[in-house]
Amino acid sequence: MFLPAVHAETDTAVLLQFIRENPLGILITGIQSSQQAFLQCSQVPFNPQVKAMIEAVDSKPRNVLEFDDDVMVLFNGKHDHYVTPKFYVETKPDTGKVVPTWNYSAVQIYGKLSIYYDSKTPETDAFLAKQLHDLSEHTERSIMGYTGGDKPQPWKVNDAPDSYIEVMKRNIVGIEIRVNKIEGKFKMSQEKPPGDRDGVVKGFARLGNKTGEAISALVKARGELHDFKKQALNKEGQ
């Protein structure tokens, strides 16, 4: 990931919260395989990506297969958008030296991967049971807002028949990544002069849709954070 300092987010808590809010990661692997493509990416690591994984590690007789090379998972923010130079109301009228860009946010993690693919083994059975429970709880409550009370009750794994869940487990490949690096960025016009940044905030707000409103709010928040950090650094240097 290209990480200019002005766009980089270094707070691990912020990056982890970003992942919780944008949980559909894209698993990216580079695996030597006799039948599958070397580079693969998927939101659902099944066929053929998982076949390449199993081929690479299946010579090791163990219940949990551990992959030697690092993998990467990319998490994209919910909102991104093209930025027209017409939003730059400070620089454009003065010099005309402006070009289009794209505002977006993303987090990447790197780490070692373990594969749980044989549901008949106790390790895989326990791992899949915990993951199904934890992921369902998170997505039902945090993503759907099903928290009970005045809102609907969340769906639970035990709402489905045990026999059905056991069949589903046989068709699920569980992956666990031991994270050794995490990085992220919010490219939200925070490097622009205040007048241009204000033009971007107002320009996106005028789009009149959810994406425009979300980008407008992010540009404003990230701009204010950038100014705060800059002022703090200036005070330290005095």
Side-chain angles (χ1 to χ4, degrees):
M1 179 182 288
F2 177 52
L3 274 177
V6 69
H7 297 144
E9 175 56 68
T10 58
D11 188 330
T12 301
V14 172
L15 298 176
L16 293 177
Q17 182 61 31
F18 182 97
I19 292 173
R20 282 189 284 269
E21 294 173 357
N22 302 277
L24 185 60
I26 301 173
L27 176 64
I28 301 168
T29 57
I31 305 172
Q32 294 290 351
S33 169
S34 61
Q35 300 189 25
Q36 312 300 332
F38 174 70
L39 286 175
Q40 296 195 48
C41 65
S42 176
Q43 287 90 346
V44 182
F46 194 57
N47 183 12
Q49 190 177 30
V50 78
K51 287 187 175 181
M53 294 179 193
I54 293 172
E55 180 186 344
V57 297
D58 210 11
S59 59
K60 305 173 182 178
R62 63 186 77 174
N63 291 342
V64 179
L65 302 181
E66 297 180 351
F67 193 60
D68 292 331
D69 297 322
D70 274 3
V71 300
M72 183 177 79
V73 184
L74 169 65
F75 300 88
N76 287 308
K78 291 183 179 67
H79 302 287
D80 63 273
H81 206 285
Y82 169 80
V83 184
T84 173
K86 291 188 176 183
F87 285 172
Y88 302 141
V89 295
E90 179 178 331
T91 303
K92 185 176 182 297
D94 289 345
T95 69
K97 296 179 179 179
V98 291
V99 293
T101 189
W102 204 282
N103 278 358
Y104 65 95
S105 53
V107 170
Q108 291 178 177
I109 65 166
Y110 304 82
K112 300 295 183 183
L113 179 113
S114 296
I115 308 169
Y116 297 78
Y117 77 102
D118 185 356
S119 62
K120 300 185 191 71
T121 66
E123 292 90 346
T124 296
D125 183 68
F127 179 82
L128 292 179
K130 185 176 189 308
Q131 293 306 308
L132 287 171
H133 173 271
D134 291 352
L135 290 172
S136 297
E137 278 286 296
H138 171 64
T139 49
E140 288 288 310
R141 293 179 179 276
S142 299
I143 305 298
M144 295 304 300
Y146 293 163
T147 55
D150 295 334
K151 297 182 178 181
Q153 291 289 335
W155 179 87
K156 297 181 181 298
V157 176
N158 59 17
D159 288 343
D162 290 344
S163 58
Y164 178 74
I165 295 300
E166 290 305 312
V167 171
M168 290 296 99
K169 280 184 184 178
R170 292 183 212 138
N171 296 287
I172 296 174
V173 174
I175 62 171
E176 180 179 32
I177 299 174
R178 298 177 301 286
V179 178
N180 55 44
K181 181 180 178 183
I182 182 169
E183 60 186 13
K185 68 189 296 184
F186 288 82
K187 183 181 175 295
M188 289 293 162
S189 303
Q190 59 264 55
E191 78 283 2
K192 296 297 181 184
D196 286 345
R197 214 162 56 207
D198 187 56
V200 174
V201 170
K202 292 177 179 176
F204 276 114
R206 285 195 299 270
L207 294 181
N209 55 40
K210 288 185 177 180
T211 296
E213 292 171 2
I215 296 287
S216 177
L218 275 168
V219 171
K220 186 174 186 299
R222 282 281 145 179
E224 291 173 350
L225 180 61
H226 169 70
D227 292 345
F228 174 80
K229 289 181 177 179
K230 189 175 180 179
Q231 290 170 4
L233 285 173
N234 289 338
K235 287 181 180 179
E236 287 179 6
Q238 290 176 356

